[in-house]
Amino acid sequence: MERFPRLLPLPLLAVVAVSLAALAVILHGTAQQFAPLYYALMCGLGWAAFGGNRGPVTRLWLRRLPGPVMLRAILLGYAAVILEETLVGTLYAINEGGTVAVLAERVRQFISFNLLAFTGPILGLTLACRLFAGVPQQLMLIAGVWGLFAERTYLIFLGNPIAGALIAGPNIAVYTIILAPLVLSMPDRPGKPKVWLPLMAWALMLALSLPAVALLGALRQSHPQAFPNCDYIACD
């Protein structure tokens, strides 16, 4: 039987808890004051699905879903993004006043943006799981580093090392949680993972991101109302 990978190890969760407590104080009263709540809810959902003894049960349930293996994985990836962005849009709507119209618009905008933004990671990880052994065991590294890149955490760290350090752990955890259903739904290839596995996974994710991100940039210019404004997600 496959050993279930430790997706959310306790040291990571401890770092996230300390970071969120500090961020809650720092961001109180700002436009980003709901960010710690978002991270806490996502980590709670991740722990409920994959923590403790629930992980193997969740993996078995995912693998019993109908459909071709790769198509099922891709659809699970997009479903996780839709769920996560529904939460993001809801929290932003609450911060703006919480009307039904604003809620619907924010959820639609964030889902539209991230369905394209996550296309590369979803397709790239699906191919990596199909081609290489050990992706589930290294998911936190693969997804976490990608999250730091995608969220430009490295730029935050360069401008403000304390802020960058505080946001790094939560971003690693959230990207691991979002991409976990996709990876766990696929049978793990036999064999030991190669040391170059993360590099190959990142290369696939980046290569498949380029056309999707180019399309996203074009659509954001021609239909800006369909996506979050630049105050929420940087336009540069």
Side-chain angles (χ1 to χ4, degrees):
M1 181 179 293
E2 298 173 27
R3 182 180 178 184
F4 189 78
R6 296 183 64 189
L7 300 181
L8 298 171
L10 289 179
L12 174 61
L13 292 178
V15 169
V16 170
V18 173
S19 297
L20 295 186
L23 288 171
V25 175
I26 295 171
L27 297 176
H28 179 70
T30 71
Q32 302 295 325
Q33 63 180 339
F34 283 103
L37 176 59
Y38 157 75
Y39 286 116
L41 290 173
M42 284 297 299
C43 288
L45 288 172
W47 182 253
F50 308 116
N53 296 325
R54 294 174 297 280
V57 176
T58 302
R59 177 176 61 185
L60 181 61
W61 179 81
L62 290 170
R63 291 182 179 181
R64 286 179 173 174
L65 293 174
V69 171
M70 293 187 69
L71 177 60
R72 179 183 65 197
I74 291 169
L75 293 177
L76 282 169
Y78 282 119
V81 170
I82 290 172
L83 175 62
E84 183 263 345
E85 294 306 322
T86 298
L87 175 60
V88 173
T90 299
L91 292 177
Y92 272 109
I94 292 173
N95 197 45
E96 293 179 36
T99 66
V100 174
V102 171
L103 172 63
E105 182 178 17
R106 292 293 170 265
V107 169
R108 174 182 58 80
Q109 288 174 333
F110 278 96
I111 289 176
S112 298
F113 182 94
N114 281 285
L115 284 179
L116 285 171
F118 270 88
T119 288
I122 288 171
L123 298 181
L125 266 181
T126 301
L127 284 175
C129 288
R130 197 68 168 175
L131 296 173
F132 310 119
V135 174
Q137 287 71 32
Q138 298 198 37
L139 176 60
M140 189 180 75
L141 172 63
I142 295 170
V145 171
W146 181 266
L148 299 181
F149 167 73
E151 298 293 331
R152 302 183 181 183
T153 308
Y154 58 96
L155 293 179
I156 298 175
F157 186 83
L158 291 175
N160 187 332
I162 294 177
L166 289 175
I167 205 67
N171 277 340
I172 290 171
V174 164
Y175 270 74
T176 301
I177 291 166
I178 293 172
L179 295 169
L182 177 164
V183 171
L184 295 178
S185 73
M186 299 187 68
D188 197 8
R189 286 182 61 87
K192 294 183 178 180
K194 306 298 184 182
V195 294
W196 41 258
L197 169 60
L199 294 177
M200 294 301 298
W202 293 325
L204 287 170
M205 295 160 76
L206 179 61
L208 293 168
S209 289
L210 295 178
V213 170
L215 176 60
L216 175 58
L219 290 174
R220 204 172 184 188
Q221 286 189 343
S222 59
H223 300 84
Q225 72 284 353
F227 302 98
N229 63 49
C230 298
D231 293 331
Y232 291 154
I233 299 180
C235 291
D236 55 354

